[in-house]
Amino acid sequence: LKCVMGLLPVRGGQITFDGHDLVKLPAERRAPLGIGYVPQGREIFPRLTVEENLRIGLTTRGRQARGALDAIYELFPVLKKMLRRRGGDLSGGQLQQLAIGRALVLEPKLLILDEPCEGIQPNVVHEIGEVIRRLNRERGITVLLVEQKLPFARRVADRFCVMDKGRIVADGAMDQLTDELVRQHLAV
C-alpha cells in the first residue's frame, strides 16, 4: 500500500490508476487523482482537534469545506460531537473514524484501508463495516481493504486477492475464498 501511495519505492512491476502511471508520480500528486489512504496506525495529528484533522484533508480540494464536513458527520455522528477534542484524546474506534473521515473529505474514487479493525471494539468494527459497504454502494467508491480479520473482510468485500511476497497467489469473488484456500495461504 505504501508503494501505491508513493511512500516506498517500487522494485518492479506497474501501478496504474485511472490511466495514470503512479510509479512515475511523486507521492503528493496521488491524492489529488482521487486516492484516499488510511494507513495502519491511522496517523492522525494528536494535538489538533477533530475538526482541524478533517480540514487538513480539504487543503488539496480547493472547495467549500462545509458540505464535505457535513457528509463526514453524517457517516460518523460521533465526530460531530467531538469537534473540539484533540485527536490524541480519542478512543481507537473514534481515531479510525476520524482517519477514514479525513481520507473521505478528498472525495476519493479509491479508498485504501490498511487494517481498519485493528484495536477497535466490535460494535465500532461493525459500524465501520457498514460505512464501507455504504460508500461503495451509494457513492461508487472502490475500497481496497487489507485486513487480518477474515470474518470482517468476508462481510464487507465483494472480491479477494491473496498475495505472497508481492505476488498474487489467489483471487476471485469473495464466495470463492474457500476454507481450503485460507488454510493453504493464510493459516499460520
Side-chain angles (χ1 to χ4, degrees):
L1 298 180
K2 288 183 178 184
C3 289
V4 172
M5 294 310 299
L7 303 174
L8 285 176
V10 175
R11 293 186 204 151
Q14 298 177 340
I15 303 173
T16 58
F17 175 73
D18 204 21
H20 299 275
D21 181 354
L22 295 183
V23 175
K24 295 180 180 179
L25 289 178
E28 66 272 10
R29 298 236 350 253
R30 297 175 193 212
L33 292 176
I35 303 174
Y37 177 50
V38 180
Q40 185 176 12
R42 301 164 192 117
E43 297 181 16
I44 59 99
F45 297 98
R47 298 184 64 98
L48 297 182
T49 66
V50 165
E51 184 175 23
E52 290 166 337
N53 267 282
L54 291 171
R55 287 188 179 278
I56 282 178
L58 290 168
T59 58
T60 63
R61 296 299 300 172
R63 54 169 286 219
Q64 178 55 273
R66 196 76 202 136
L69 293 180
D70 287 343
I72 301 308
Y73 302 144
E74 191 265 322
L75 285 172
F76 299 115
V78 70
L79 296 180
K80 188 169 187 172
K81 295 176 188 172
M82 300 187 163
L83 283 177
R84 305 285 175 245
R85 274 182 111 174
R86 287 185 178 192
D89 296 335
L90 302 180
S91 71
Q94 294 162 347
L95 284 170
Q96 188 66 358
Q97 291 175 53
L98 177 57
I100 294 170
R102 186 181 58 195
L104 289 174
V105 297
L106 298 170
E107 296 181 350
K109 299 176 210 168
L110 171 64
L111 178 63
I112 300 173
L113 300 174
D114 191 356
E115 300 285 351
C117 296
E118 183 178 53
I120 299 176
Q121 60 191 28
N123 66 321
V124 179
V125 167
H126 181 78
E127 184 180 334
I128 288 172
E130 291 304 310
V131 167
I132 290 169
R133 294 194 55 77
R134 187 173 165 196
L135 291 170
N136 179 257
R137 186 177 55 247
E138 295 176 9
R139 297 188 190 179
I141 297 173
T142 298
V143 179
L144 174 57
L145 172 72
V146 173
E147 180 56 61
Q148 290 183 35
K149 294 183 178 169
L150 192 53
F152 178 81
R154 285 183 193 261
R155 186 170 67 83
V156 302
D158 297 323
R159 299 192 55 76
F160 75 92
C161 181
V162 178
M163 296 181 76
D164 184 21
K165 298 177 184 153
R167 297 200 188 284
I168 297 171
V169 293
D171 69 315
M174 188 53 80
D175 62 0
Q176 295 174 331
L177 182 58
T178 64
D179 291 340
E180 176 56 33
L181 274 174
V182 170
R183 274 191 299 280
Q184 185 179 356
H185 299 292
L186 302 175
V188 182

